[in-house]
Amino acid sequence: ANSVEEQKFSLKEVLDTFSLCLSENKEVYIEHYVEGWRGLVRFMNSLGSVFSFISKDAVNKIEILAKFFNGENGTHYSTIQSMVKYELDNGLVDLAKRDKYPESGCRTLLRLHRALRWLELFLERLRTSSEDCKTSVMCSEAYNESLAQHHAWIIRKAAGMAFCVLPGRPTFFEVMNVGTSEQVVSMLGDALPLISEVYDITEKLYAQHELLQLP
Ligand code: 1PZ
């Protein structure tokens, strides 16, 4: 028997989730955004326990957003746009320092948003890499260009150590469970523009409202 449950998941499904994020008028659905992150965390966990300090933090943030989404004010958390409007209109965001609202939807999503930029840069490097390229190098270059700028020294150190034990490119492609490396490359070529679009829309929205540095 080869039931759906028994099949290993494929990173394609996960990345497809991000294509569901965009509404017709280019708003970003939080439900699918969070679902996409759950899939990424599952993928990361399948790479080994060294990454658990990273996935713990991601899961924590996913759960904060899921709670808002499923909570009594859930209708306001349907899209990132509606969340930003609702939390700002009602003074539910700590703008200068963490105070009364240390876990607002806006500041929590911003952390995942920054990590999405890392993902975009890393997957683009994977896509265009040759067989002998090192995943650890691609990963840390992507990290240094994005997330690292927002992380304290101690976290950058820990992240750097985790990158060193990433499996090599062939194993990495295998764990993605997408097929041959040509198929991985073409899947990434399809998925990346969508991830970039979700990223760019969120970035613009946060910039407009001066939320890019939320504590
Ligand atoms: C496949 C290899 C995985 C590499 C992942 C690269 C990202 C490294 C990030 C290391 C951060 C880990 C610890 C937590 C840091 C938190 O302090 C920050 C800020 O949150 P705050 O303290 O302000 O509440 N958290 C983040 O920056 C969110 C990080 C989420 C990382 C998710 C990675 C998902 C990887 C998917 C793999 C395909």
PDB file of all heavy atoms in Angstrom, residues 11 37 40-41 43-44 47 51 53-54 57-58 61 98 107 111-112 115 118-119 122 139 143 147 150-151 155 159 163 166 172, ligand 1:
ATOM      1  N   LEU A  11       9.379  19.005  -1.720  1.00  0.00           N
ATOM      2  CA  LEU A  11       9.512  20.446  -1.511  1.00  0.00           C
ATOM      3  C   LEU A  11       8.686  21.234  -2.527  1.00  0.00           C
ATOM      4  O   LEU A  11       8.352  22.385  -2.302  1.00  0.00           O
ATOM      5  CB  LEU A  11      10.984  20.879  -1.564  1.00  0.00           C
ATOM      6  CG  LEU A  11      11.223  22.290  -1.024  1.00  0.00           C
ATOM      7  CD1 LEU A  11      11.018  22.349   0.479  1.00  0.00           C
ATOM      8  CD2 LEU A  11      12.599  22.819  -1.378  1.00  0.00           C
ATOM      9  N   TRP A  37       5.293  28.110   5.598  1.00  0.00           N
ATOM     10  CA  TRP A  37       6.354  28.038   6.601  1.00  0.00           C
ATOM     11  C   TRP A  37       6.351  26.719   7.346  1.00  0.00           C
ATOM     12  O   TRP A  37       7.412  26.178   7.665  1.00  0.00           O
ATOM     13  CB  TRP A  37       6.266  29.228   7.575  1.00  0.00           C
ATOM     14  CG  TRP A  37       6.962  30.419   6.988  1.00  0.00           C
ATOM     15  CD1 TRP A  37       6.383  31.518   6.419  1.00  0.00           C
ATOM     16  CD2 TRP A  37       8.374  30.580   6.831  1.00  0.00           C
ATOM     17  NE1 TRP A  37       7.351  32.358   5.937  1.00  0.00           N
ATOM     18  CE2 TRP A  37       8.580  31.813   6.172  1.00  0.00           C
ATOM     19  CE3 TRP A  37       9.477  29.815   7.178  1.00  0.00           C
ATOM     20  CZ2 TRP A  37       9.856  32.289   5.863  1.00  0.00           C
ATOM     21  CZ3 TRP A  37      10.746  30.284   6.870  1.00  0.00           C
ATOM     22  CH2 TRP A  37      10.919  31.508   6.226  1.00  0.00           C
ATOM     23  N   LEU A  40       8.195  24.358   5.198  1.00  0.00           N
ATOM     24  CA  LEU A  40       9.641  24.613   5.201  1.00  0.00           C
ATOM     25  C   LEU A  40      10.287  24.071   6.470  1.00  0.00           C
ATOM     26  O   LEU A  40      11.376  23.509   6.436  1.00  0.00           O
ATOM     27  CB  LEU A  40       9.914  26.110   5.068  1.00  0.00           C
ATOM     28  CG  LEU A  40       9.622  26.723   3.697  1.00  0.00           C
ATOM     29  CD1 LEU A  40       9.755  28.243   3.754  1.00  0.00           C
ATOM     30  CD2 LEU A  40      10.562  26.152   2.636  1.00  0.00           C
ATOM     31  N   VAL A  41       9.585  24.233   7.587  1.00  0.00           N
ATOM     32  CA  VAL A  41      10.105  23.730   8.853  1.00  0.00           C
ATOM     33  C   VAL A  41      10.195  22.200   8.812  1.00  0.00           C
ATOM     34  O   VAL A  41      11.183  21.610   9.251  1.00  0.00           O
ATOM     35  CB  VAL A  41       9.218  24.195  10.036  1.00  0.00           C
ATOM     36  CG1 VAL A  41       9.507  23.391  11.290  1.00  0.00           C
ATOM     37  CG2 VAL A  41       9.430  25.676  10.295  1.00  0.00           C
ATOM     38  N   PHE A  43      10.635  20.411   6.221  1.00  0.00           N
ATOM     39  CA  PHE A  43      11.779  20.109   5.365  1.00  0.00           C
ATOM     40  C   PHE A  43      13.082  20.281   6.134  1.00  0.00           C
ATOM     41  O   PHE A  43      13.962  19.417   6.104  1.00  0.00           O
ATOM     42  CB  PHE A  43      11.765  21.014   4.130  1.00  0.00           C
ATOM     43  CG  PHE A  43      12.959  20.835   3.246  1.00  0.00           C
ATOM     44  CD1 PHE A  43      13.084  19.706   2.454  1.00  0.00           C
ATOM     45  CD2 PHE A  43      13.967  21.783   3.230  1.00  0.00           C
ATOM     46  CE1 PHE A  43      14.195  19.522   1.646  1.00  0.00           C
ATOM     47  CE2 PHE A  43      15.088  21.608   2.418  1.00  0.00           C
ATOM     48  CZ  PHE A  43      15.198  20.478   1.629  1.00  0.00           C
ATOM     49  N   MET A  44      13.195  21.378   6.861  1.00  0.00           N
ATOM     50  CA  MET A  44      14.413  21.645   7.613  1.00  0.00           C
ATOM     51  C   MET A  44      14.640  20.568   8.676  1.00  0.00           C
ATOM     52  O   MET A  44      15.765  20.116   8.870  1.00  0.00           O
ATOM     53  CB  MET A  44      14.331  23.024   8.261  1.00  0.00           C
ATOM     54  CG  MET A  44      15.644  23.476   8.843  1.00  0.00           C
ATOM     55  SD  MET A  44      15.657  25.219   9.259  1.00  0.00           S
ATOM     56  CE  MET A  44      14.191  25.373  10.217  1.00  0.00           C
ATOM     57  N   LEU A  47      16.402  17.501   7.686  1.00  0.00           N
ATOM     58  CA  LEU A  47      17.840  17.618   7.422  1.00  0.00           C
ATOM     59  C   LEU A  47      18.683  17.270   8.648  1.00  0.00           C
ATOM     60  O   LEU A  47      19.886  17.098   8.536  1.00  0.00           O
ATOM     61  CB  LEU A  47      18.188  19.035   6.960  1.00  0.00           C
ATOM     62  CG  LEU A  47      17.662  19.477   5.599  1.00  0.00           C
ATOM     63  CD1 LEU A  47      17.986  20.936   5.363  1.00  0.00           C
ATOM     64  CD2 LEU A  47      18.225  18.616   4.484  1.00  0.00           C
ATOM     65  N   PHE A  51      19.439  21.586  13.271  1.00  0.00           N
ATOM     66  CA  PHE A  51      18.671  22.756  12.868  1.00  0.00           C
ATOM     67  C   PHE A  51      17.495  23.048  13.790  1.00  0.00           C
ATOM     68  O   PHE A  51      16.717  23.941  13.534  1.00  0.00           O
ATOM     69  CB  PHE A  51      18.183  22.584  11.427  1.00  0.00           C
ATOM     70  CG  PHE A  51      19.306  22.366  10.475  1.00  0.00           C
ATOM     71  CD1 PHE A  51      19.631  21.104  10.027  1.00  0.00           C
ATOM     72  CD2 PHE A  51      20.090  23.435  10.059  1.00  0.00           C
ATOM     73  CE1 PHE A  51      20.704  20.901   9.173  1.00  0.00           C
ATOM     74  CE2 PHE A  51      21.160  23.246   9.209  1.00  0.00           C
ATOM     75  CZ  PHE A  51      21.471  21.977   8.769  1.00  0.00           C
ATOM     76  N   PHE A  53      17.266  24.371  16.728  1.00  0.00           N
ATOM     77  CA  PHE A  53      17.159  25.703  17.371  1.00  0.00           C
ATOM     78  C   PHE A  53      16.596  26.721  16.389  1.00  0.00           C
ATOM     79  O   PHE A  53      15.941  27.684  16.783  1.00  0.00           O
ATOM     80  CB  PHE A  53      18.504  26.166  17.958  1.00  0.00           C
ATOM     81  CG  PHE A  53      19.432  26.814  16.962  1.00  0.00           C
ATOM     82  CD1 PHE A  53      19.580  28.197  16.919  1.00  0.00           C
ATOM     83  CD2 PHE A  53      20.167  26.044  16.077  1.00  0.00           C
ATOM     84  CE1 PHE A  53      20.437  28.804  16.003  1.00  0.00           C
ATOM     85  CE2 PHE A  53      21.022  26.634  15.159  1.00  0.00           C
ATOM     86  CZ  PHE A  53      21.156  28.019  15.115  1.00  0.00           C
ATOM     87  N   ILE A  54      16.835  26.478  15.114  1.00  0.00           N
ATOM     88  CA  ILE A  54      16.258  27.371  14.107  1.00  0.00           C
ATOM     89  C   ILE A  54      14.775  27.078  13.932  1.00  0.00           C
ATOM     90  O   ILE A  54      13.947  27.988  13.930  1.00  0.00           O
ATOM     91  CB  ILE A  54      16.978  27.216  12.748  1.00  0.00           C
ATOM     92  CG1 ILE A  54      18.479  27.500  12.927  1.00  0.00           C
ATOM     93  CG2 ILE A  54      16.371  28.142  11.707  1.00  0.00           C
ATOM     94  CD1 ILE A  54      19.309  27.243  11.672  1.00  0.00           C
ATOM     95  N   ASP A  57      12.397  28.368  16.754  1.00  0.00           N
ATOM     96  CA  ASP A  57      12.028  29.785  16.672  1.00  0.00           C
ATOM     97  C   ASP A  57      11.004  30.022  15.561  1.00  0.00           C
ATOM     98  O   ASP A  57      10.050  30.771  15.738  1.00  0.00           O
ATOM     99  CB  ASP A  57      13.268  30.653  16.438  1.00  0.00           C
ATOM    100  CG  ASP A  57      12.936  32.137  16.471  1.00  0.00           C
ATOM    101  OD1 ASP A  57      12.630  32.639  17.565  1.00  0.00           O
ATOM    102  OD2 ASP A  57      12.915  32.763  15.403  1.00  0.00           O
ATOM    103  N   ALA A  58      11.203  29.357  14.434  1.00  0.00           N
ATOM    104  CA  ALA A  58      10.247  29.510  13.336  1.00  0.00           C
ATOM    105  C   ALA A  58       8.865  28.992  13.751  1.00  0.00           C
ATOM    106  O   ALA A  58       7.852  29.654  13.506  1.00  0.00           O
ATOM    107  CB  ALA A  58      10.749  28.775  12.094  1.00  0.00           C
ATOM    108  N   LYS A  61       7.013  31.370  15.970  1.00  0.00           N
ATOM    109  CA  LYS A  61       6.430  32.499  15.247  1.00  0.00           C
ATOM    110  C   LYS A  61       5.221  32.079  14.412  1.00  0.00           C
ATOM    111  O   LYS A  61       4.222  32.790  14.327  1.00  0.00           O
ATOM    112  CB  LYS A  61       7.513  33.172  14.404  1.00  0.00           C
ATOM    113  CG  LYS A  61       8.512  33.887  15.331  1.00  0.00           C
ATOM    114  CD  LYS A  61       9.661  34.520  14.632  1.00  0.00           C
ATOM    115  CE  LYS A  61      10.411  35.457  15.574  1.00  0.00           C
ATOM    116  NZ  LYS A  61      10.890  34.844  16.829  1.00  0.00           N
ATOM    117  N   ARG A  98      10.169  46.968  22.530  1.00  0.00           N
ATOM    118  CA  ARG A  98       9.217  45.935  22.951  1.00  0.00           C
ATOM    119  C   ARG A  98       8.669  46.309  24.315  1.00  0.00           C
ATOM    120  O   ARG A  98       9.413  46.589  25.251  1.00  0.00           O
ATOM    121  CB  ARG A  98       9.899  44.561  22.986  1.00  0.00           C
ATOM    122  CG  ARG A  98      10.189  44.038  21.614  1.00  0.00           C
ATOM    123  CD  ARG A  98      10.764  42.643  21.639  1.00  0.00           C
ATOM    124  NE  ARG A  98       9.725  41.608  21.581  1.00  0.00           N
ATOM    125  CZ  ARG A  98       9.987  40.304  21.573  1.00  0.00           C
ATOM    126  NH1 ARG A  98      11.223  39.876  21.661  1.00  0.00           N
ATOM    127  NH2 ARG A  98       9.010  39.427  21.496  1.00  0.00           N
ATOM    128  N   ARG A 107       5.245  42.428  14.063  1.00  0.00           N
ATOM    129  CA  ARG A 107       6.670  42.186  14.322  1.00  0.00           C
ATOM    130  C   ARG A 107       7.005  40.706  14.135  1.00  0.00           C
ATOM    131  O   ARG A 107       8.091  40.354  13.700  1.00  0.00           O
ATOM    132  CB  ARG A 107       7.130  42.700  15.690  1.00  0.00           C
ATOM    133  CG  ARG A 107       6.683  41.992  16.928  1.00  0.00           C
ATOM    134  CD  ARG A 107       7.525  40.841  17.385  1.00  0.00           C
ATOM    135  NE  ARG A 107       8.895  41.162  17.726  1.00  0.00           N
ATOM    136  CZ  ARG A 107       9.812  40.226  17.933  1.00  0.00           C
ATOM    137  NH1 ARG A 107       9.500  38.941  17.832  1.00  0.00           N
ATOM    138  NH2 ARG A 107      11.032  40.560  18.246  1.00  0.00           N
ATOM    139  N   ARG A 111       9.748  38.902  11.081  1.00  0.00           N
ATOM    140  CA  ARG A 111      10.861  37.946  11.234  1.00  0.00           C
ATOM    141  C   ARG A 111      10.807  36.872  10.157  1.00  0.00           C
ATOM    142  O   ARG A 111      11.832  36.483   9.593  1.00  0.00           O
ATOM    143  CB  ARG A 111      10.835  37.300  12.624  1.00  0.00           C
ATOM    144  CG  ARG A 111      11.615  38.061  13.717  1.00  0.00           C
ATOM    145  CD  ARG A 111      11.142  39.445  13.913  1.00  0.00           C
ATOM    146  NE  ARG A 111      11.967  40.245  14.811  1.00  0.00           N
ATOM    147  CZ  ARG A 111      11.732  41.522  15.039  1.00  0.00           C
ATOM    148  NH1 ARG A 111      10.710  42.129  14.452  1.00  0.00           N
ATOM    149  NH2 ARG A 111      12.516  42.199  15.852  1.00  0.00           N
ATOM    150  N   LEU A 112       9.622  36.376   9.874  1.00  0.00           N
ATOM    151  CA  LEU A 112       9.490  35.360   8.821  1.00  0.00           C
ATOM    152  C   LEU A 112       9.736  35.988   7.448  1.00  0.00           C
ATOM    153  O   LEU A 112      10.330  35.372   6.564  1.00  0.00           O
ATOM    154  CB  LEU A 112       8.110  34.702   8.871  1.00  0.00           C
ATOM    155  CG  LEU A 112       7.802  33.868  10.124  1.00  0.00           C
ATOM    156  CD1 LEU A 112       6.396  33.286  10.040  1.00  0.00           C
ATOM    157  CD2 LEU A 112       8.832  32.755  10.313  1.00  0.00           C
ATOM    158  N   ALA A 115      13.282  36.133   6.827  1.00  0.00           N
ATOM    159  CA  ALA A 115      13.779  34.780   6.539  1.00  0.00           C
ATOM    160  C   ALA A 115      13.386  34.347   5.121  1.00  0.00           C
ATOM    161  O   ALA A 115      14.104  33.589   4.464  1.00  0.00           O
ATOM    162  CB  ALA A 115      13.252  33.779   7.568  1.00  0.00           C
ATOM    163  N   TRP A 118      16.045  35.346   2.841  1.00  0.00           N
ATOM    164  CA  TRP A 118      17.138  34.376   2.865  1.00  0.00           C
ATOM    165  C   TRP A 118      16.800  33.185   1.959  1.00  0.00           C
ATOM    166  O   TRP A 118      17.625  32.762   1.143  1.00  0.00           O
ATOM    167  CB  TRP A 118      17.409  33.869   4.304  1.00  0.00           C
ATOM    168  CG  TRP A 118      18.198  32.599   4.272  1.00  0.00           C
ATOM    169  CD1 TRP A 118      19.548  32.491   4.093  1.00  0.00           C
ATOM    170  CD2 TRP A 118      17.681  31.271   4.320  1.00  0.00           C
ATOM    171  NE1 TRP A 118      19.895  31.158   4.026  1.00  0.00           N
ATOM    172  CE2 TRP A 118      18.782  30.401   4.165  1.00  0.00           C
ATOM    173  CE3 TRP A 118      16.405  30.734   4.478  1.00  0.00           C
ATOM    174  CZ2 TRP A 118      18.631  29.012   4.159  1.00  0.00           C
ATOM    175  CZ3 TRP A 118      16.248  29.350   4.474  1.00  0.00           C
ATOM    176  CH2 TRP A 118      17.352  28.502   4.322  1.00  0.00           C
ATOM    177  N   LEU A 119      15.569  32.691   2.092  1.00  0.00           N
ATOM    178  CA  LEU A 119      15.153  31.536   1.292  1.00  0.00           C
ATOM    179  C   LEU A 119      15.267  31.830  -0.199  1.00  0.00           C
ATOM    180  O   LEU A 119      15.795  31.031  -0.969  1.00  0.00           O
ATOM    181  CB  LEU A 119      13.710  31.147   1.649  1.00  0.00           C
ATOM    182  CG  LEU A 119      13.204  29.888   0.943  1.00  0.00           C
ATOM    183  CD1 LEU A 119      13.788  28.638   1.585  1.00  0.00           C
ATOM    184  CD2 LEU A 119      11.674  29.814   0.966  1.00  0.00           C
ATOM    185  N   PHE A 122      18.919  31.913  -1.192  1.00  0.00           N
ATOM    186  CA  PHE A 122      19.522  30.585  -1.111  1.00  0.00           C
ATOM    187  C   PHE A 122      19.032  29.691  -2.258  1.00  0.00           C
ATOM    188  O   PHE A 122      19.844  29.059  -2.953  1.00  0.00           O
ATOM    189  CB  PHE A 122      19.190  29.949   0.244  1.00  0.00           C
ATOM    190  CG  PHE A 122      19.682  28.538   0.402  1.00  0.00           C
ATOM    191  CD1 PHE A 122      21.031  28.225   0.209  1.00  0.00           C
ATOM    192  CD2 PHE A 122      18.806  27.525   0.748  1.00  0.00           C
ATOM    193  CE1 PHE A 122      21.494  26.910   0.362  1.00  0.00           C
ATOM    194  CE2 PHE A 122      19.257  26.210   0.903  1.00  0.00           C
ATOM    195  CZ  PHE A 122      20.600  25.905   0.710  1.00  0.00           C
ATOM    196  N   CYS A 139      24.474  28.822   1.385  1.00  0.00           N
ATOM    197  CA  CYS A 139      23.594  29.148   2.504  1.00  0.00           C
ATOM    198  C   CYS A 139      24.129  30.330   3.299  1.00  0.00           C
ATOM    199  O   CYS A 139      23.382  31.259   3.622  1.00  0.00           O
ATOM    200  CB  CYS A 139      23.461  27.914   3.400  1.00  0.00           C
ATOM    201  SG  CYS A 139      22.200  28.062   4.625  1.00  0.00           S
ATOM    202  N   TYR A 143      22.619  34.052   3.751  1.00  0.00           N
ATOM    203  CA  TYR A 143      22.361  34.513   5.120  1.00  0.00           C
ATOM    204  C   TYR A 143      23.026  35.870   5.382  1.00  0.00           C
ATOM    205  O   TYR A 143      22.400  36.785   5.918  1.00  0.00           O
ATOM    206  CB  TYR A 143      22.858  33.460   6.106  1.00  0.00           C
ATOM    207  CG  TYR A 143      22.727  33.837   7.559  1.00  0.00           C
ATOM    208  CD1 TYR A 143      21.471  33.835   8.176  1.00  0.00           C
ATOM    209  CD2 TYR A 143      23.839  34.176   8.319  1.00  0.00           C
ATOM    210  CE1 TYR A 143      21.348  34.170   9.523  1.00  0.00           C
ATOM    211  CE2 TYR A 143      23.725  34.512   9.661  1.00  0.00           C
ATOM    212  CZ  TYR A 143      22.482  34.508  10.249  1.00  0.00           C
ATOM    213  OH  TYR A 143      22.349  34.846  11.574  1.00  0.00           O
ATOM    214  N   LEU A 147      19.315  37.876   6.507  1.00  0.00           N
ATOM    215  CA  LEU A 147      19.015  37.739   7.927  1.00  0.00           C
ATOM    216  C   LEU A 147      20.118  38.181   8.881  1.00  0.00           C
ATOM    217  O   LEU A 147      19.832  38.736   9.949  1.00  0.00           O
ATOM    218  CB  LEU A 147      18.721  36.257   8.223  1.00  0.00           C
ATOM    219  CG  LEU A 147      17.302  35.756   8.077  1.00  0.00           C
ATOM    220  CD1 LEU A 147      17.277  34.263   8.376  1.00  0.00           C
ATOM    221  CD2 LEU A 147      16.383  36.502   9.049  1.00  0.00           C
ATOM    222  N   HIS A 150      20.203  41.300  10.843  1.00  0.00           N
ATOM    223  CA  HIS A 150      19.232  41.510  11.918  1.00  0.00           C
ATOM    224  C   HIS A 150      19.525  40.644  13.139  1.00  0.00           C
ATOM    225  O   HIS A 150      18.780  40.647  14.099  1.00  0.00           O
ATOM    226  CB  HIS A 150      17.815  41.200  11.415  1.00  0.00           C
ATOM    227  CG  HIS A 150      17.453  41.983  10.188  1.00  0.00           C
ATOM    228  ND1 HIS A 150      17.099  43.317  10.246  1.00  0.00           N
ATOM    229  CD2 HIS A 150      17.417  41.646   8.885  1.00  0.00           C
ATOM    230  CE1 HIS A 150      16.843  43.752   9.025  1.00  0.00           C
ATOM    231  NE2 HIS A 150      17.033  42.760   8.173  1.00  0.00           N
ATOM    232  N   HIS A 151      20.599  39.863  13.078  1.00  0.00           N
ATOM    233  CA  HIS A 151      20.881  38.926  14.165  1.00  0.00           C
ATOM    234  C   HIS A 151      22.082  39.337  14.995  1.00  0.00           C
ATOM    235  O   HIS A 151      23.068  39.857  14.463  1.00  0.00           O
ATOM    236  CB  HIS A 151      21.134  37.523  13.597  1.00  0.00           C
ATOM    237  CG  HIS A 151      19.885  36.829  13.140  1.00  0.00           C
ATOM    238  ND1 HIS A 151      19.906  35.715  12.335  1.00  0.00           N
ATOM    239  CD2 HIS A 151      18.577  37.078  13.384  1.00  0.00           C
ATOM    240  CE1 HIS A 151      18.671  35.304  12.095  1.00  0.00           C
ATOM    241  NE2 HIS A 151      17.841  36.129  12.715  1.00  0.00           N
ATOM    242  N   ILE A 155      23.936  34.578  17.621  1.00  0.00           N
ATOM    243  CA  ILE A 155      23.057  33.836  16.703  1.00  0.00           C
ATOM    244  C   ILE A 155      23.748  33.622  15.361  1.00  0.00           C
ATOM    245  O   ILE A 155      23.675  32.539  14.767  1.00  0.00           O
ATOM    246  CB  ILE A 155      21.709  34.565  16.531  1.00  0.00           C
ATOM    247  CG1 ILE A 155      20.942  34.497  17.858  1.00  0.00           C
ATOM    248  CG2 ILE A 155      20.889  33.960  15.397  1.00  0.00           C
ATOM    249  CD1 ILE A 155      19.574  35.037  17.838  1.00  0.00           C
ATOM    250  N   ALA A 159      24.319  30.018  13.761  1.00  0.00           N
ATOM    251  CA  ALA A 159      23.820  29.743  12.414  1.00  0.00           C
ATOM    252  C   ALA A 159      24.969  29.266  11.528  1.00  0.00           C
ATOM    253  O   ALA A 159      24.846  28.274  10.799  1.00  0.00           O
ATOM    254  CB  ALA A 159      23.166  30.990  11.832  1.00  0.00           C
ATOM    255  N   PHE A 163      25.240  25.773   9.366  1.00  0.00           N
ATOM    256  CA  PHE A 163      25.421  25.721   7.904  1.00  0.00           C
ATOM    257  C   PHE A 163      26.508  24.718   7.509  1.00  0.00           C
ATOM    258  O   PHE A 163      26.427  24.070   6.474  1.00  0.00           O
ATOM    259  CB  PHE A 163      25.807  27.104   7.339  1.00  0.00           C
ATOM    260  CG  PHE A 163      24.760  28.155   7.556  1.00  0.00           C
ATOM    261  CD1 PHE A 163      25.089  29.504   7.499  1.00  0.00           C
ATOM    262  CD2 PHE A 163      23.433  27.799   7.817  1.00  0.00           C
ATOM    263  CE1 PHE A 163      24.120  30.488   7.702  1.00  0.00           C
ATOM    264  CE2 PHE A 163      22.470  28.779   8.016  1.00  0.00           C
ATOM    265  CZ  PHE A 163      22.818  30.118   7.965  1.00  0.00           C
ATOM    266  N   LEU A 166      25.343  21.207   6.783  1.00  0.00           N
ATOM    267  CA  LEU A 166      24.343  20.968   5.734  1.00  0.00           C
ATOM    268  C   LEU A 166      24.840  19.872   4.798  1.00  0.00           C
ATOM    269  O   LEU A 166      26.023  19.826   4.476  1.00  0.00           O
ATOM    270  CB  LEU A 166      24.141  22.246   4.909  1.00  0.00           C
ATOM    271  CG  LEU A 166      23.123  23.259   5.381  1.00  0.00           C
ATOM    272  CD1 LEU A 166      23.153  24.483   4.469  1.00  0.00           C
ATOM    273  CD2 LEU A 166      21.725  22.650   5.390  1.00  0.00           C
ATOM    274  N   PHE A 172      21.096  17.108  -0.767  1.00  0.00           N
ATOM    275  CA  PHE A 172      20.112  18.172  -0.568  1.00  0.00           C
ATOM    276  C   PHE A 172      19.003  18.075  -1.618  1.00  0.00           C
ATOM    277  O   PHE A 172      17.810  18.162  -1.301  1.00  0.00           O
ATOM    278  CB  PHE A 172      20.816  19.529  -0.660  1.00  0.00           C
ATOM    279  CG  PHE A 172      20.106  20.616   0.066  1.00  0.00           C
ATOM    280  CD1 PHE A 172      20.378  20.870   1.399  1.00  0.00           C
ATOM    281  CD2 PHE A 172      19.152  21.384  -0.576  1.00  0.00           C
ATOM    282  CE1 PHE A 172      19.716  21.870   2.082  1.00  0.00           C
ATOM    283  CE2 PHE A 172      18.482  22.392   0.108  1.00  0.00           C
ATOM    284  CZ  PHE A 172      18.763  22.635   1.435  1.00  0.00           C
TER     285      PHE A 172
HETATM  286  C1  1PZ B   1      18.251  24.561   5.272  1.00  0.00           C
HETATM  287  C2  1PZ B   1      19.143  25.210   6.200  1.00  0.00           C
HETATM  288  C3  1PZ B   1      18.507  26.053   7.194  1.00  0.00           C
HETATM  289  C4  1PZ B   1      19.172  27.350   7.364  1.00  0.00           C
HETATM  290  C5  1PZ B   1      18.286  28.397   7.925  1.00  0.00           C
HETATM  291  C6  1PZ B   1      18.847  29.774   7.792  1.00  0.00           C
HETATM  292  C7  1PZ B   1      18.349  30.749   8.765  1.00  0.00           C
HETATM  293  C8  1PZ B   1      19.190  30.834   9.995  1.00  0.00           C
HETATM  294  C9  1PZ B   1      18.494  31.580  11.059  1.00  0.00           C
HETATM  295  C10 1PZ B   1      19.015  31.348  12.421  1.00  0.00           C
HETATM  296  C11 1PZ B   1      18.116  31.929  13.468  1.00  0.00           C
HETATM  297  C12 1PZ B   1      17.811  31.061  14.600  1.00  0.00           C
HETATM  298  C13 1PZ B   1      17.450  31.489  15.912  1.00  0.00           C
HETATM  299  C14 1PZ B   1      16.454  32.519  16.214  1.00  0.00           C
HETATM  300  C15 1PZ B   1      16.618  33.790  16.015  1.00  0.00           C
HETATM  301  C16 1PZ B   1      15.661  34.861  16.443  1.00  0.00           C
HETATM  302  O1  1PZ B   1      16.319  35.658  17.389  1.00  0.00           O
HETATM  303  C17 1PZ B   1      15.244  35.689  15.252  1.00  0.00           C
HETATM  304  C18 1PZ B   1      14.609  37.011  15.612  1.00  0.00           C
HETATM  305  O2  1PZ B   1      13.441  36.826  16.334  1.00  0.00           O
HETATM  306  P1  1PZ B   1      13.224  37.646  17.702  1.00  0.00           P
HETATM  307  O3  1PZ B   1      14.338  37.240  18.630  1.00  0.00           O
HETATM  308  O4  1PZ B   1      13.273  39.097  17.345  1.00  0.00           O
HETATM  309  O5  1PZ B   1      11.859  37.201  18.206  1.00  0.00           O
HETATM  310  N1  1PZ B   1      14.351  34.887  14.449  1.00  0.00           N
HETATM  311  C19 1PZ B   1      14.371  34.894  13.107  1.00  0.00           C
HETATM  312  O6  1PZ B   1      15.126  35.618  12.495  1.00  0.00           O
HETATM  313  C20 1PZ B   1      13.440  33.962  12.367  1.00  0.00           C
HETATM  314  C21 1PZ B   1      14.246  32.868  11.763  1.00  0.00           C
HETATM  315  C22 1PZ B   1      13.423  31.864  11.039  1.00  0.00           C
HETATM  316  C23 1PZ B   1      14.295  30.937  10.273  1.00  0.00           C
HETATM  317  C24 1PZ B   1      13.519  30.003   9.443  1.00  0.00           C
HETATM  318  C25 1PZ B   1      14.360  29.236   8.510  1.00  0.00           C
HETATM  319  C26 1PZ B   1      13.562  28.314   7.684  1.00  0.00           C
HETATM  320  C27 1PZ B   1      14.403  27.498   6.824  1.00  0.00           C
HETATM  321  C28 1PZ B   1      13.704  26.775   5.756  1.00  0.00           C
HETATM  322  C29 1PZ B   1      14.562  25.742   5.172  1.00  0.00           C
HETATM  323  C30 1PZ B   1      14.300  25.404   3.770  1.00  0.00           C
END
